[in-house]
Amino acid sequence: MNTDDVDRRFRDAERAPRGVDTSKAHPSRRYDYWLGGKDNFAIDRESAEAVAAGFPTVRLAAVENRKFLRRVVNHLVRDVGVDQFLDIGTGLPSAGNVHEVAQSADPRARIVYVDNDPIVLTHARALLTSSPEGATAYLDADLRDPEKILTHPDLHRTLDLSRPVALMMVAVLHFITEDEDPYGVVRTLVGALPSGSHIVITHGTSDHLTPEELAETEEANRRSGVPFRLRSSEEFARFFTGLDVLDPGITSVVDWRPDEPAGRRPAVEDVSMLCALARVP
């Protein structure tokens, strides 16, 4: 590490909110960096660049993932009538958050955000403000502990779990490795939701990689310091076992109800992000 890196680390530590560990990269801050945000630290940028070395179009993937989030929330509110959202792994606030999209269509919409990064908590409490008719809340919790999320009093003060809820897990499950039981985590969360609820998941995929490219990407992820698990379409489909996957099915975020013509959309291979919307029977 050169002198500039040391100086930058020091400056980062000086401006970090209390409780934020600037010696360890965090997915939310790394995602913020890829989206062009400023709430990230040297370790996050270094981790992000390590990933980009093996996945050069990762910034494009982050942007397209965010566009999908806006389209699917609009669809759920305007076309399906959903007015309650549980967004796990929300990340740092930026334009087009779930409550902004949902409440622009239905001001009564109620949203609970969940993340485990203190800097996200600081920004969320300041910026994720609801319309007067609706409500927002922020839970400091980890997807790996779904019971803590489901029993949190702020969740039950904000959402009525006897009515349908849209569970959003956008670009977060690929951070849950096999030893952390990602499928069990999803089953637990879905099992707490009533019939008529909807599940939204996006996930990085290995579908378009050769074995050599996959090995290179896995090595880049290892160097990044943030555990990350790409999954195939078949592995991704397992998250929806017992659910009714809705049209257009399991597909790329680029091709899910697009609002741009095919010629203006990026290549599916460059984005490498799967998505699906499903209904709880």
Side-chain angles (χ1 to χ4, degrees):
M1 182 180 298
N2 61 36
T3 303
D4 288 342
D5 289 333
V6 173
D7 290 344
R8 187 172 62 183
R9 285 279 180 85
F10 178 77
R11 291 194 300 270
D12 285 341
E14 287 293 294
R15 65 182 176 87
R18 184 183 300 274
V20 175
D21 182 0
T22 61
S23 69
K24 184 178 180 181
H26 192 281
S28 293
R29 301 194 303 264
R30 192 170 70 177
Y31 192 69
D32 175 71
Y33 172 69
W34 284 327
L35 290 175
K38 298 179 180 178
D39 293 298
N40 50 78
F41 305 107
I43 193 67
D44 305 306
R45 296 187 286 271
E46 291 165 11
S47 175
E49 292 301 331
V51 172
F55 181 15
T57 56
V58 65
R59 288 182 178 84
L60 176 64
V63 170
E64 292 300 318
N65 187 72
R66 194 73 180 179
K67 289 181 180 178
F68 162 81
L69 181 145
R70 295 169 188 166
R71 295 198 305 274
V72 75
V73 171
N74 257 319
H75 169 69
L76 284 167
V77 178
R78 297 179 187 275
D79 302 329
V80 183
V82 173
D83 62 1
Q84 299 192 110
F85 292 83
L86 174 56
D87 182 9
I88 302 179
T90 180
L92 281 150
S94 62
N97 288 287
V98 169
H99 79 283
E100 293 173 328
V101 179
Q103 291 181 348
S104 68
D106 182 354
R108 299 166 300 173
R110 305 175 74 84
I111 297 89
V112 171
Y113 292 105
V114 181
D115 208 291
N116 66 344
D117 180 13
I119 198 169
V120 175
L121 173 62
T122 299
H123 285 273
R125 286 176 172 164
L127 300 176
L128 300 182
T129 54
S130 174
S131 65
E133 303 93 332
T136 61
Y138 179 88
L139 311 187
D140 182 11
D142 195 312
L143 176 59
R144 298 169 183 84
D145 187 0
E147 292 294 349
K148 180 179 179 180
I149 296 171
L150 293 171
T151 58
H152 200 292
D154 288 347
L155 172 69
H156 294 274
R157 275 193 287 266
T158 309
L159 303 182
D160 177 0
L161 296 189
S162 70
R163 298 177 49 244
V165 174
L167 171 61
M168 311 283 295
M169 290 177 284
V170 175
V172 65
L173 279 167
H174 42 226
F175 296 112
I176 310 299
T177 53
E178 298 309 305
D179 60 312
E180 294 168 323
D181 191 17
Y183 299 105
V185 166
V186 173
R187 281 195 304 271
T188 298
L189 292 166
V190 172
L193 302 180
S195 174
S197 293
H198 288 74
I199 314 301
V200 177
I201 304 176
T202 72
H203 198 297
T205 184
S206 57
D207 281 359
H208 310 293
L209 301 178
T210 66
E212 294 76 17
E213 289 170 335
L214 178 57
E216 183 179 353
T217 299
E218 289 175 342
E219 173 59 21
N221 287 331
R222 186 194 64 77
R223 293 195 307 270
S224 78
V226 177
F228 190 94
R229 172 70 157 80
L230 295 174
R231 293 185 170 96
S232 66
S233 292
E234 291 76 14
E235 291 173 310
F236 180 67
R238 288 180 54 197
F239 288 117
F240 299 95
T241 300
L243 304 176
D244 298 328
V245 178
L246 306 178
D247 288 339
I250 292 173
T251 186
S252 168
V253 294
V254 173
D255 291 335
W256 194 92
R257 297 177 178 266
D259 50 16
E260 294 181 318
R264 295 180 58 187
R265 301 198 297 270
V268 167
E269 295 80 4
D270 287 342
V271 175
S272 285
M273 185 79 70
L274 295 170
C275 71
L277 168 65
R279 185 180 184 277
V280 179

